[in-house]
Amino acid sequence: MNEINRSFTPAVISSNRRILVTGGSGFIGSHLCERLLDAGHEVLCVDNFFTGARANVAHLLDHRNFELMRHDVTMPLYVEVDEIYNLACPASPIHYQRDPTQTIKTSVHGAINMLGLAKRLNAKILQSSTSEVYGDPQVHPQPESYWGNVNPIGPRACYDEGKRCAETLFFAYRMQHDLPIKVMRIFNTYGPRMHPNDGRVVSNFIIQALTNQPITLFGDGEQTRSFCYVDDLVEGMIRLMDRTPDSVTGPVNIGNPGEFTIRALAETVLELTGSRSALVRRPLPVDDPRQRRPDISLAKSLLNWEPTIELREGLAKTIAYFDAFLASAQAEVYAAH
């Protein structure tokens, strides 16, 4: 991986905005809420708690500028805000495949409802899309101009095609109503507050290592992913939302271009935890991408953004979080999910 420039100045966010974050008690959403509050904004966090958890925002509940609302975005929402970050949707295969119809509704109906709210308020709105719109890519690394290679009827389609349709809706509202939109394609992200039971590779490996369980490698472990620490991701998200002119709509890839095999990730986790867990192989899931790496040229040129946190540094922080988590009562709460 090339050396990363750590000299950029974090995005400066103008104050006095009331901001809606859907999916705000989830992994990424909770970090975004925290960052927006630190910048002096009022934050309305909306979540139906399907994968999010109150524990993720418990430290924010007494903040004078924070409000938490239980609501499902598949139903209309009538609030007054200046900006909307639409993060609501389960993002791991275990969760989005549990109820594929509801996953599609969350992406599509949720987008329609949030776009309708933004249109009524003439509010800027950002869609958290995903690298899954590229499917199992035949172009590597993946630029925003690549249209993808997605199986529309496979087990991952409820998420992949739901997010693709949401992007279409956002640009339709842009063309038809001149709505100020932003579309961000999120690549693999990790860090504290990941759901421990969501089946994602980073949280899986860390928990298995810390509990001395066998570490499961799907396939031969030579498939690749690129891992972005959550603080870097949130910085990119805010930069895209605040980028002027508003004609900069995206889509923009936000992720870490450092590419690692899944086997290398497992070996790094074993080293950092000191675990003696064995590596065991399992069959590769259907339609699981063999390669995933973002081309972040647009993010660099339009947002002056690139990640600053190397994988080993981010993993150390994430391991420390899960080590404390497993020793706490929160583990029992998540075990019920």
Side-chain angles (χ1 to χ4, degrees):
M1 179 178 175
N2 294 331
E3 183 177 353
I4 292 175
N5 176 16
R6 293 175 176 267
S7 63
F8 72 77
T9 303
V12 177
I13 316 170
S14 58
S15 58
N16 302 322
R17 279 183 269 165
R18 180 166 170 79
I19 300 176
L20 167 63
V21 180
T22 71
S25 73
F27 160 47
I28 295 174
S30 64
H31 286 274
L32 176 61
C33 288
E34 192 172 62
R35 173 71 188 277
L36 294 172
L37 287 170
D38 287 345
H41 296 293
E42 293 182 42
V43 174
L44 172 58
C45 171
V46 167
D47 209 298
N48 68 351
F49 302 113
F50 179 66
T51 57
R54 291 179 185 273
N56 287 338
V57 293
H59 62 297
L60 304 177
L61 293 176
D62 291 333
H63 196 293
R64 66 182 184 281
N65 288 336
F66 182 77
E67 181 181 356
L68 177 62
M69 176 188 297
R70 187 182 190 116
H71 181 83
D72 192 316
V73 296
T74 61
M75 304 298 291
L77 179 63
Y78 302 100
V79 294
E80 303 297 320
V81 294
D82 302 307
E83 288 180 355
I84 302 168
Y85 287 83
N86 186 37
L87 278 64
C89 190
S92 73
I94 284 179
H95 289 140
Y96 66 62
Q97 291 173 1
R98 183 182 300 170
D99 189 342
T101 302
Q102 186 63 27
T103 297
I104 297 169
K105 287 181 178 179
T106 300
S107 287
V108 177
H109 292 185
I112 291 170
N113 287 329
M114 292 304 104
L115 286 163
L117 175 62
K119 177 175 176 285
R120 179 177 70 83
L121 300 172
N122 193 31
K124 192 187 303 183
I125 180 170
L126 182 145
Q127 167 68 2
S128 65
S129 190
T130 173
S131 61
E132 299 299 332
V133 301
Y134 300 121
D136 190 3
Q138 297 174 336
V139 173
H140 191 74
Q142 295 80 57
E144 292 86 349
S145 58
Y146 177 50
W147 291 358
N149 177 40
V150 176
N151 178 359
I153 58 172
R156 303 169 70 99
C158 58
Y159 183 69
D160 300 1
E161 296 287 28
K163 288 289 191 177
R164 286 163 69 94
C165 185
E167 285 195 15
T168 302
L169 283 163
F170 266 67
F171 280 92
Y173 268 74
R174 170 71 174 174
M175 289 185 290
Q176 188 171 352
H177 304 294
D178 197 28
L179 190 69
I181 68 163
K182 307 284 182 176
V183 175
M184 169 183 175
R185 290 177 178 165
I186 298 174
F187 281 69
N188 291 65
T189 305
Y190 70 102
R193 301 182 205 144
M194 293 184 78
H195 196 297
N197 299 328
D198 68 2
R200 297 192 197 190
V201 65
V202 172
S203 52
N204 263 9
F205 285 0
I206 291 175
I207 288 178
Q208 288 168 343
L210 289 175
T211 56
N212 295 309
Q213 301 176 50
I215 290 185
T216 51
L217 287 179
F218 291 99
D220 58 10
E222 294 306 308
Q223 64 271 38
T224 66
R225 294 293 185 271
S226 301
F227 302 101
C228 185
Y229 190 68
V230 64
D231 289 354
D232 280 334
L233 182 95
V234 168
E235 174 69 25
M237 184 178 291
I238 290 172
R239 283 181 180 233
L240 177 58
M241 178 65 101
D242 287 358
R243 181 68 170 87
T244 56
D246 286 340
S247 59
V248 179
T249 60
V252 176
N253 291 336
I254 298 292
N256 194 318
E259 187 176 9
F260 299 87
T261 67
I262 298 302
R263 179 177 292 276
L265 173 69
E267 291 169 350
T268 303
V269 168
L270 286 173
E271 177 190 347
L272 292 175
T273 58
S275 173
R276 297 184 179 179
S277 296
L279 300 180
V280 296
R281 292 176 58 173
R282 297 286 183 267
L284 194 67
V286 176
D287 294 335
D288 191 60
R290 291 293 303 178
Q291 293 179 305
R292 187 58 57 76
R293 177 189 174 195
D295 180 334
I296 63 168
S297 301
L298 272 182
K300 287 181 178 180
S301 62
L302 295 178
L303 311 179
N304 190 29
W305 176 90
E306 60 182 320
T308 65
I309 299 174
E310 298 280 3
L311 181 63
R312 291 179 67 88
E313 178 185 353
L315 284 177
K317 295 179 180 181
T318 309
I319 289 167
Y321 165 79
F322 275 113
D323 196 23
F325 171 86
L326 290 170
S328 74
Q330 289 185 46
E332 297 180 7
V333 175
Y334 276 100
H337 282 61

